[in-house]
Amino acid sequence: KRRVVASFERAFIHSLLSRTDGNISAAARCARQHRRAFWALMKKHDIDAQTYRDAEVGSSSFFI
């Protein structure tokens, strides 16, 4: 049961952070959780929001 719950939590966090481009506050609002509770869940699963932010930067085109 623990593995199933942990797997669900990781997938849920991944989905929300992907949707919000790594914005923890926005992801927490989507989950209807307090930002600190969402962050604690991320820490529990060793998930870094920066990973989701970096993905967006690489897809953008900048012209100088």
Side-chain angles (χ1 to χ4, degrees):
K1 180 179 174 180
R2 263 184 274 156
R3 285 184 301 190
V4 173
V5 170
S7 177
F8 172 80
E9 287 175 344
R10 280 190 298 274
F12 186 59
I13 294 167
H14 169 73
S15 172
L16 291 170
L17 288 173
S18 292
R19 231 185 305 167
T20 60
D21 297 322
N23 184 320
I24 297 171
S25 294
R29 279 192 298 272
C30 289
R32 296 180 183 198
Q33 284 189 333
H34 190 277
R35 180 184 51 81
R36 293 180 78 181
F38 190 80
W39 182 84
L41 196 58
M42 288 174 52
K43 186 174 180 178
K44 173 183 171 184
H45 293 288
D46 197 29
I47 296 174
D48 182 16
Q50 190 63 41
T51 307
Y52 300 90
R53 294 178 195 134
D54 292 342
E56 181 185 348
V57 172
S59 65
S60 298
S61 296
F62 294 100
F63 298 99
I64 298 176

